[in-house]
Amino acid sequence: MKGVVYRDTHTAAWHHLSVLQPHVRDHVAVLGLVVVVDESEGYAYLKSRPEDPDLPPVPRLVPRRSLSFHVSLLLALLRRKLAEADASGSDPRLVLSRRQIIDMLTVFMPSGADDARLVDQIDAHLTKVIELGFLRRTKDKEPSFEVRRIVKAFVDAQWLADFDARLSEYAAELSPDAEGAA
């Protein structure tokens, strides 16, 4: 009941979930949870039931995590890369090297920063995204990461719109015109 179940890595659990899905849905509904199964992408997870005024409120069992700006940015960039890979119709797995991820994020980091310190910060953001389950380390010699398809469920159009609005707010606060008006 904790984390994401993937068809390719949790074969026994995936099989049981497929066979017992109606029973699992009924069981977790009592706890105020909903099972989300994406057969085409090969993952399943639990989320809190949307609030319903006709039902009594249920305590939140699935924690909400506040993400830093750079972790949110990395998730948005990974989602974009996944969409590009899906559009190209190539390999269903998206594997990015550590260098590719660093290059993607460096564009959005402050200029003039010490390169070693910048890479350490990006590595910290990468570690957080791995802990959240959106990336998985591969067994290649060079450090590389598989983008997990669950990122599509988390980073949807609404999430991107909210993130875009926050980016606009940050840009407005940091613009020189905002400083002169204050």
Side-chain angles (χ1 to χ4, degrees):
M1 290 181 64
K2 187 175 181 179
V4 179
V5 175
Y6 292 100
R7 179 177 43 223
D8 60 344
T9 56
H10 306 104
T11 53
W14 184 264
H15 173 72
H16 293 304
L17 179 61
S18 298
V19 173
L20 301 170
Q21 196 172 84
H23 300 295
V24 173
R25 287 188 189 284
D26 292 343
H27 181 77
V28 299
V30 173
L31 301 171
L33 300 172
V34 176
V35 179
V36 178
V37 179
D38 191 328
E39 292 280 344
S40 64
E41 300 291 349
Y43 62 81
Y45 63 96
L46 295 175
K47 70 177 189 174
S48 296
R49 174 185 77 207
E51 292 190 27
D52 185 350
D54 298 335
L55 297 173
V58 178
R60 178 172 280 286
L61 296 177
V62 178
R64 293 192 114 161
R65 295 183 177 98
S66 180
L67 302 178
S68 71
F69 168 75
H70 290 100
V71 170
S72 298
L73 177 63
L74 180 55
L75 289 177
L77 293 170
L78 292 173
R79 176 64 174 97
R80 186 184 80 190
K81 282 285 195 190
L82 194 59
E84 290 171 359
D86 288 348
S88 72
S90 59
D91 190 4
R93 289 180 52 206
L94 174 60
V95 177
L96 298 172
S97 70
R98 179 174 169 264
R99 177 84 281 175
Q100 288 174 303
I101 294 172
I102 289 171
D103 291 344
M104 280 188 333
L105 270 178
T106 303
V107 174
F108 298 96
M109 302 297 266
S111 60
D114 177 27
D115 285 346
R117 191 167 151 251
L118 187 68
V119 170
D120 288 344
Q121 288 175 343
I122 292 173
D123 282 337
H125 303 316
L126 262 174
T127 301
K128 181 64 177 174
V129 172
I130 292 168
E131 288 171 7
L132 293 171
F134 297 112
L135 285 176
R136 178 175 67 177
R137 292 183 195 279
T138 61
K139 295 179 169 107
D140 299 338
K141 288 183 181 183
E142 181 185 330
S144 58
F145 306 91
E146 177 186 357
V147 179
R148 303 299 293 189
R149 303 206 65 83
I150 189 69
V151 77
K152 289 175 76 173
F154 184 77
V155 181
D156 58 5
Q158 180 61 45
W159 190 93
L160 287 172
D162 293 344
F163 185 68
D164 191 40
R166 285 192 302 263
L167 280 177
S168 297
E169 290 172 14
Y170 293 144
E173 289 176 18
L174 297 174
S175 73
D177 296 338
E179 290 176 15

